[in-house]
């Protein structure tokens, strides 16, 4: 997972200067988001019939963020619930 994100960031860093040097030529700019690139790279290796059932890299990172928020909540509740006997 982290490797895919790192790869996406590296590829984006290599492509961005090249795209800028080529000039716009009257075309709309291309969105080179590392997450959208990681999503497309990860989806390309999964058969189309199974893609809908798998979360994208963006969705997985969002879930990790939510997990961090849950951890903050449980850390606040643990002393009150007596789950950490060493404190107090």
């Amino acid at each position: 997972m982290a490797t895919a994100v790192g790869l996406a960031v590296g590829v984006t860093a290599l492509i961005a200067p090249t795209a800028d040097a080529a000039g716009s030529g009257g075309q709309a700019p291309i969105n080179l988001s590392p997450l959208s690139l990681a999503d497309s790279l990860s989806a390309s290796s999964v058969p189309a019939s199974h893609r809908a059932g798998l979360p994208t890299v963006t969705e997985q990172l969002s879930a990790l963020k939510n997990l961090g928020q849950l951890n903050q909540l449980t850390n606040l509740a643990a002393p009150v619930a007596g789950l950490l006997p060493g404190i107090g």
Side-chain angles (χ1 to χ4, degrees):
M1 169 70 173
T3 305
V5 173
L7 177 64
V9 170
V11 169
T12 302
L14 292 173
I15 293 173
T18 306
D20 188 41
S24 64
Q27 298 175 351
I30 299 172
N31 182 9
L32 294 176
S33 164
L35 288 178
S36 63
L37 181 59
D39 286 341
S40 65
L41 286 174
S42 64
S44 67
S45 63
V46 177
S49 59
H50 298 289
R51 285 185 194 151
L54 295 175
T56 63
V57 173
T58 304
E59 292 170 344
Q60 291 176 20
L61 290 175
S62 177
L64 283 175
K65 179 181 172 188
N66 292 339
L67 184 60
Q69 292 172 349
L70 178 63
N71 189 23
Q72 290 175 355
L73 178 64
T74 57
N75 287 344
L76 291 173
V80 174
L83 297 175
L84 298 175
I87 297 178

